[in-house]
Amino acid sequence: MILTVNVNNSNIVLGVFEQEKLVTVVKTVTDKTKSEEEYIQIFGDLLDGKGINLQDIEGAILSCVVAQLITTIDEALTELLGYHPMQIAAGVKTGLPIKADNPAEIGSDIIIGAVGAISRYEKPLVIVGMNTATVFTVIDEKGTLIGVSIAPGVRIGAEALSMRASQLPYVPLEAPQRVIGRNTAEAMKSGIMHGAASIVDGMVDRIEAELGNRVNVVLTGAIAKRVAGLCKVPVMVDEYLQLEGMNEIYHRNTKKEK
């Protein structure tokens, strides 16, 4: 089994693969204040709760976009497994051509999502990562990452709305039955969720116009399923696309057959 650990600004997602099959997913909240020892306990408990024997994990790979936690998570995994995990960093073969002014600026979360999508979907592609930020990653027909657009995430927008506007409450991220809200909560839900779908629709339209091609659209991340049904453009949902990309990169670097 291979353990994939994806650390983003909101959550830490652990996935366990048996060859190409993702058999277990567990999550915990990203907390920059927790120590190595605390993460050892958290990860161990999460995996044990799913019946995963650490001795059966033959390899691990880590992607972390939270700079303050890279060493902490690496050392926690090393203590649990008895070896350092592979990291998505310079020197790791991803097989992903990147056309950007500075390819080093492209975050590991974007890279693993792109690798996962290219291995599973027909190109050209737009990958919409819906987590702390809403990230549009554009892959051309040759499989090259040619650029990215980044917008505030849906949850951040909802939290900012309730925090900065004193008369607006926090509302759950769910779409109301109608777009035109008839009370405050309904109006906020509509604006947040239908607004998120409209951003997807509008950005895909603009990306296609700039490319001169139609694209396949893949939504991934924590709220992808909730937004997908509201979009007018055809979309596919692959919630754990980044984990799939990490598994692909792990095998690419160890030359093991999947």
Side-chain angles (χ1 to χ4, degrees):
M1 293 191 293
I2 303 302
L3 175 65
T4 58
V5 182
N6 184 19
V7 183
N8 62 45
N9 289 292
S10 300
N11 296 295
I12 301 174
V13 185
L14 287 74
V16 177
F17 284 82
E18 289 186 357
Q19 300 298 319
E20 292 186 354
K21 186 178 180 181
L22 179 60
V23 295
T24 299
V25 176
V26 290
K27 301 179 184 180
T28 187
V29 174
T30 302
D31 188 341
K32 299 174 187 176
T33 69
K34 289 193 182 301
S35 66
E36 173 189 327
E37 290 73 21
E38 288 174 304
Y39 274 117
I40 290 171
Q41 185 68 49
I42 291 168
F43 295 161
D45 288 347
L46 286 172
L47 294 170
D48 184 65
K50 290 291 186 176
I52 301 297
N53 187 335
L54 294 177
Q55 294 182 343
D56 293 333
I57 296 175
E58 60 187 276
I61 182 167
L62 168 65
S63 171
C64 181
V65 298
V66 184
Q68 302 96 312
L69 284 179
I70 293 174
T71 299
T72 300
I73 302 296
D74 175 79
E75 293 298 333
L77 293 171
T78 301
E79 181 66 25
L80 275 174
L81 301 172
Y83 50 84
H84 283 281
M86 183 185 300
Q87 286 197 37
I88 306 296
V92 171
K93 294 182 290 184
T94 66
L96 177 68
I98 299 175
K99 185 178 180 181
D101 292 341
N102 182 5
E105 288 182 348
I106 305 297
S108 62
D109 55 336
I110 294 172
I111 290 171
I112 59 180
V115 172
I118 289 169
S119 67
R120 295 163 69 84
Y121 301 101
E122 186 177 348
K123 306 176 288 291
L125 284 161
V126 172
I127 305 147
V128 186
M130 309 197 81
N131 291 297
T132 305
T134 298
V135 181
F136 297 82
T137 304
V138 184
I139 307 294
D140 70 11
E141 67 280 357
K142 296 179 181 179
T144 299
L145 193 163
I146 62 171
V148 177
S149 294
I150 303 175
V154 179
R155 194 176 300 278
I156 282 181
E159 291 173 351
L161 194 59
S162 61
M163 289 175 62
R164 300 297 292 270
S166 59
Q167 294 186 351
L168 297 181
Y170 178 79
V171 295
L173 298 181
E174 57 188 28
Q177 293 183 347
R178 53 196 169 210
V179 175
I180 303 172
R182 297 182 185 173
N183 56 64
T184 299
E186 191 177 69
M188 291 178 66
K189 290 178 183 179
S190 174
I192 293 166
M193 298 305 291
H194 286 285
S198 296
I199 289 173
V200 174
D201 292 335
M203 286 298 294
V204 169
D205 181 66
R206 286 163 171 75
I207 289 167
E208 288 183 334
E210 193 166 309
L211 282 178
N213 288 318
R214 300 299 296 269
V215 298
N216 287 312
V217 183
V218 184
L219 269 59
T220 186
I223 66 163
K225 289 181 181 179
R226 297 183 226 179
V227 174
L230 306 175
C231 294
K232 292 184 177 180
V233 299
V235 300
M236 298 170 281
V237 177
D238 194 331
E239 185 175 358
Y240 300 119
L241 185 64
Q242 292 180 327
L243 299 183
E244 300 282 355
M246 294 175 72
N247 188 49
E248 177 78 21
I249 292 169
Y250 178 86
H251 287 288
R252 186 167 289 169
N253 282 268
T254 56
K255 293 182 170 46
K256 291 185 178 181
E257 293 297 326
K258 292 195 246 178

